[in-house]
Amino acid sequence: MDPCTFVVIGKRRYRKAPITSNNAATATRTVMLGDLMKEQSCAVTLDIRETETESAYTHHEDELPVADMSYDESKGLYSIQLRIDSDFYGAIIGKRGEKKEKIQAATDTVIMVPKPNSKEQVVVVTGKAPSSLRMAKEKIMQTVKEAEQRQSYTHFLSLPLTSSNIQSKVEAVKGDIISQFSWIQGLHESMFVPASQFHLTLLMLRLDSDESISKASQVLTEVSSSLYDILGTRTALIRLKGIKCFGSAQRADVLYVNVENDEVKEKLERISVELSKRFVESGLLSSADLQRQRLLGSDGAIQPVQLHATVVNTRYSKQPQSQPLDASQIIKQFNSFDLGSERIPSLHLSERFRFDSNGYYHCVKAVPFP
């Protein structure tokens, strides 16, 4: 037999196909066989089809099951187990199961996520092809990675709205909503933002070292003159009116007080863009961070933040199982509710989960406004 008729690479054996005008343009590839073919000193074209005697290797390499997959012959299904902390089950499932359904549809798999109180922290993915499971695994782990990064935001740039006047009005709104709409399923007072923490957020940051915190403070010092140029000499006075929500009012997760459109709001939006640019330039903010915060347009340009002052967030609920609210009646009732005008005294670099004696987030650095 011609020594060049068959070639063994790893555990697989291939038939050498002669180069002809009929097969030169087909799905073949030319490889140099090195020492194996050194005596013949030839380049050969390999027909990727295996011989009939090599049935154990009839799958394409990408279709071979990897070590962490199992195969159920009776069902014709592959499965893989992913050990994932239960803290990330919600991220994998997504709002109303949308994230999990999207991954399943894109990969032709079925994803089984344990209940939150389950002791077995294993997500099981099942499908007909190993390639589908690999794709699903990649999407799941990317989702977990993004959730970890969101959780790891340690600081944020905030505009405090904490005058005694505004705090009393926020408390009054909370009391009115609870008393008038206690019948709404899932509504609980733990969902309300404390009046002492009422604010507008401009940017979320991940500062995990003293060096990065110091660097962020320095960025604010350097950018302060640009902020003053945008604001001019006018007092940063905003108008807060009406309670709104993101998405459907029938399934709302966040209720917020709207910032009325005016010249000051436009200037604050310009400030948010300037801050994003400066923090990107400093290396403290990435394009991925901008995308997660919805601050990056399809054209790659930095977008202004959507200014809003959160009043209710179902994520804060201390109830065993939080759920979206049917807030349609709340929004209808408070659509024209007027909190009046509020002066923004400064921009803060605020630390999450740590609070000063006044109840507001710990201030690392403050830039006073006119």
Side-chain angles (χ1 to χ4, degrees):
M1 183 173 64
D2 185 347
C4 286
T5 300
F6 293 98
V7 177
V8 177
I9 300 178
K11 294 182 179 180
R12 305 175 71 180
R13 185 171 64 168
Y14 300 91
R15 181 192 298 113
K16 184 186 73 172
I19 301 177
T20 69
S21 59
N22 292 329
N23 69 7
T26 60
T28 59
R29 53 179 172 158
T30 300
V31 297
M32 295 300 297
L33 296 181
D35 293 338
L36 181 64
M37 301 299 297
K38 193 172 290 184
E39 293 182 4
Q40 288 78 13
S41 299
C42 63
V44 297
T45 298
L46 303 182
D47 188 337
I48 302 303
R49 295 170 297 176
E50 288 83 357
T51 67
E52 292 179 359
T53 58
E54 291 297 316
S55 59
Y57 299 101
T58 55
H59 291 287
H60 185 279
E61 184 178 350
D62 288 343
E63 294 298 321
L64 289 175
V66 295
D68 55 353
M69 289 186 191
S70 59
Y71 181 68
D72 187 332
E73 290 189 14
S74 64
K75 297 180 180 179
L77 295 174
Y78 293 94
S79 65
I80 187 172
Q81 295 186 347
L82 307 176
R83 293 197 172 275
I84 297 174
D85 193 287
S86 60
D87 288 346
F88 302 109
Y89 290 169
I92 297 171
I93 295 170
K95 289 185 179 179
R96 296 173 281 283
E98 293 175 358
K99 184 68 175 181
K100 186 180 79 167
E101 291 174 3
K102 184 177 180 180
I103 296 176
Q104 290 180 152
T107 61
D108 193 23
T109 58
V110 175
I111 302 170
M112 301 295 293
V113 181
K115 295 180 179 180
N117 57 354
S118 174
K119 293 182 179 179
E120 188 63 32
Q121 297 184 342
V122 174
V123 174
V124 180
V125 184
T126 305
K128 296 180 180 179
S131 58
S132 296
L133 269 65
R134 287 192 183 94
M135 189 186 305
K137 178 181 177 180
E138 289 176 2
K139 290 181 179 294
I140 290 172
M141 299 315 295
Q142 180 62 30
T143 298
V144 170
K145 180 179 178 181
E146 291 174 356
E148 286 178 324
Q149 291 173 329
R150 285 196 299 271
Q151 285 188 345
S152 63
Y153 286 128
T154 58
H155 296 72
F156 64 105
L157 301 182
S158 72
L159 301 175
L161 304 172
T162 54
S163 70
S164 57
N165 178 54
I166 202 73
Q167 285 194 32
S168 62
K169 290 182 179 180
V170 171
E171 286 292 346
V173 169
K174 173 182 174 180
D176 289 344
I177 292 176
I178 292 175
S179 63
Q180 295 181 40
F181 300 99
S182 58
W183 50 269
I184 294 179
Q185 185 176 4
L187 182 66
H188 191 264
E189 63 178 354
S190 60
M191 297 177 175
F192 288 79
V193 174
S196 61
Q197 298 167 23
F198 201 49
H199 68 278
L200 304 177
T201 298
L202 296 185
L203 192 64
M204 301 296 296
L205 297 167
R206 184 169 48 255
L207 309 175
D208 50 12
S209 67
D210 291 341
E211 181 182 358
S212 61
I213 294 173
S214 177
K215 190 174 183 179
S217 298
Q218 183 62 33
V219 171
L220 287 184
T221 299
E222 294 172 354
V223 78
S224 59
S225 59
S226 297
L227 305 188
Y228 297 150
D229 290 341
I230 294 173
L231 284 173
T233 57
R234 286 191 57 184
T235 299
L237 197 66
I238 60 171
R239 181 74 178 275
L240 299 165
K241 184 177 181 181
I243 291 182
K244 301 183 181 298
C245 73
F246 295 113
S248 170
Q250 286 73 36
R251 298 186 65 82
D253 288 305
V254 175
L255 299 180
Y256 63 88
V257 180
N258 182 56
V259 179
E260 290 277 87
N261 291 319
D262 59 16
E263 183 182 356
V264 174
K265 180 180 180 181
E266 186 270 335
K267 289 183 177 181
L268 292 177
E269 290 174 341
R270 287 172 56 194
I271 283 176
S272 76
V273 171
E274 182 66 22
L275 289 168
S276 294
K277 289 180 179 178
R278 294 299 185 95
F279 276 90
V280 168
E281 291 170 358
S282 72
L284 295 173
L285 192 69
S286 67
S287 295
D289 290 320
L290 291 174
Q291 288 179 328
R292 281 191 292 274
Q293 298 179 52
R294 300 180 181 179
L295 299 177
L296 198 64
S298 57
D299 60 353
I302 295 177
Q303 303 298 305
V305 69
Q306 182 175 346
L307 292 171
H308 65 282
T310 300
V311 177
V312 172
N313 191 330
T314 58
R315 185 166 56 88
Y316 300 155
S317 176
K318 291 183 171 61
Q319 295 292 85
Q321 290 184 332
S322 63
Q323 59 185 25
L325 302 173
D326 182 351
S328 52
Q329 292 301 313
I330 296 176
I331 293 173
K332 182 179 179 180
Q333 175 77 14
F334 290 91
N335 184 53
S336 300
F337 181 79
D338 195 346
L339 266 71
S341 297
E342 177 74 359
R343 175 179 175 268
I344 300 177
S346 57
L347 165 68
H348 283 200
L349 172 57
S350 301
E351 182 176 348
R352 299 182 70 196
F353 314 119
R354 182 181 174 189
F355 305 94
D356 290 332
S357 58
N358 61 359
Y360 193 69
Y361 297 94
H362 174 65
C363 179
V364 177
K365 172 76 175 181
V367 177
F369 281 180

